[in-house]
Amino acid sequence: MLSILIPTYNYNIYDLVLDLHNKCLKERINFEIICLEDGSNSTFINLNKKINKLSNCQHIINPNNSGRILTRLKLANLAKYDWLLYLDADVFPKSNDFILNYLQHINTNSEAVFGGFAYQKDTKNKTSLRYLYGKKYEQVNADIRNKTPYKIIISANFLIKKALYLSITKQFKTTSYGADLIFATHLMQHKVNVHHINNEVYHLGLEDNIVFFNKQKEAVNLLHHLNSQNKLITHQNSLLKAYKLVKKYRLKHLYLFLFKRFEPTLQRLIVGASPKTKLLQFYKLGYFISLQQTR
């Protein structure tokens, strides 16, 4: 019935797998949990190898790092059931009925079901750009997400038909951060019946501010690359829509001038002790415009 697939790199996932294992046993379903170490070091491999002692669970080691997309593709090919539940290593189910909530959508018209993200309240995280960004732009109620179903596609927690996932993922040509954008575009182009539900996982892995900032720039680079190749004809991407508005009202050169003048200041405010997520959005648009100018 259900294959739960977890790619991992240098992360202790035993508690996550144990929790999922117990939830599946409670629902009395046919299931498997496959975890693939993607070039992890021996410390984490040793922590996670006891996963093999759990029934219907596999802990597989890939000695070389293949990247997120190829690792997920390998997991899909290893899966024996028709429905795949993908989870990132640094998450944990919010609900005790996490598995049941997904099972209720297997026999519906939905082809892909996204559960969403949540962030635990912790005053220590108020200096974390990743936490503040996630709270504002990723922790979104399913009712809102379903209004534009291809806009907030977070592949850290979703259910999808195996055949559909394989057919879409084999078309990917990148391993860059931000590949969820490509996934969302393919889902929209293929008119996949996407449904969002409130079945969140807590996002636990919060990167350093500068690391996350650089990942956001990497995602903008990918957006620019895809846009320059006319591969985003159909999309619900907010940044690309904002760029087209700036271009429409002939504000591109003014925006670019302001961005270049204040870029160092913007970056300091974004990654500083009191991160400004709105300024990050402003920065991403300016950075995207600067990339477009080099075409």
Side-chain angles (χ1 to χ4, degrees), residues 6-168:
I6 308 173
T8 182
Y9 172 72
N10 288 346
Y11 207 88
N12 184 350
I13 58 170
Y14 181 75
D15 288 344
L16 169 62
V17 174
L18 180 61
D19 182 77
L20 294 167
H21 179 263
N22 290 337
K23 284 178 168 58
C24 288
L25 291 177
K26 185 181 76 169
E27 303 305 330
R28 299 182 180 182
I29 59 170
N30 294 322
F31 74 97
E32 63 177 349
I33 303 176
I34 309 176
C35 309
L36 180 54
E37 297 273 3
D38 188 31
S40 300
N41 65 44
S42 58
T43 299
F44 290 97
I45 289 174
N46 289 331
L47 286 171
N48 293 329
K49 65 182 181 181
K50 57 185 176 180
I51 288 169
N52 284 318
K53 296 180 180 179
L54 300 173
S55 60
N56 306 321
C57 294
Q58 294 183 65
H59 175 242
I60 302 171
I61 301 167
N62 181 17
N64 301 311
N65 187 276
S66 300
R68 181 186 180 100
I69 293 173
L70 290 178
T71 301
R72 288 185 169 210
L73 186 58
K74 183 174 181 178
L75 282 165
N77 283 312
L78 289 170
K80 65 181 179 181
Y81 294 116
D82 293 334
W83 283 91
L84 312 178
L85 173 55
Y86 276 99
L87 294 169
D88 276 1
D90 60 347
V91 304
F92 202 85
K94 180 179 178 180
S95 170
N96 290 330
D97 294 324
F98 179 76
I99 295 298
L100 175 62
N101 293 337
Y102 271 128
L103 293 177
Q104 291 172 345
H105 291 271
I106 281 182
N107 294 318
T108 66
N109 293 326
S110 300
E111 297 174 280
V113 184
F114 291 82
F117 249 15
Y119 288 82
Q120 294 172 315
K121 292 182 178 180
D122 191 337
T123 54
K124 293 183 295 183
N125 289 331
K126 289 185 177 180
T127 61
S128 168
L129 177 63
R130 183 68 188 92
Y131 172 81
L132 295 171
Y133 183 90
K135 286 281 288 184
K136 187 172 183 65
Y137 298 106
E138 295 174 341
Q139 186 173 296
V140 180
N141 189 278
D143 289 341
I144 297 174
R145 285 184 275 137
N146 279 316
K147 291 178 181 178
T148 50
Y150 307 103
K151 182 178 180 179
I152 304 177
I153 295 296
I154 298 175
S155 63
N157 172 30
F158 76 106
L159 178 76
I160 192 169
K161 290 183 177 179
K162 177 179 176 178
L164 173 62
Y165 184 79
L166 287 173
S167 67
I168 290 178

Side-chain angles (χ1 to χ4, degrees), residues 181-198:
L181 168 63
I182 304 177
F183 190 40
T185 300
H186 280 295
L187 290 172
M188 190 171 184
Q189 289 176 347
H190 289 81
K191 299 180 180 179
V192 174
N193 189 356
V194 168
H195 187 65
H196 294 266
I197 62 174
N198 290 321

Side-chain angles (χ1 to χ4, degrees), residues 275-294:
K276 311 298 183 185
T277 57
K278 287 185 178 180
L279 290 182
L280 176 59
Q281 299 301 83
F282 181 89
Y283 185 99
K284 286 162 63 176
L285 179 55
Y287 182 60
F288 182 79
I289 293 172
S290 70
L291 293 174
Q292 292 295 106
Q293 291 296 102
T294 62

Side-chain angles (χ1 to χ4, degrees), residues 68-69 88 117 119 130 133 138 174-182 203 207 211-223 226 284:
R68 181 186 180 100
I69 293 173
D88 276 1
F117 249 15
Y119 288 82
R130 183 68 188 92
Y133 183 90
E138 295 174 341
T174 182
T175 57
S176 299
Y177 184 85
D180 282 357
L181 168 63
I182 304 177
H203 184 204
E207 306 106 320
V211 171
F212 180 66
F213 175 76
N214 287 331
K215 283 187 174 182
Q216 289 294 296
K217 289 183 69 175
E218 187 180 341
V220 175
N221 283 327
L222 176 60
L223 179 66
L226 295 172
K284 286 162 63 176

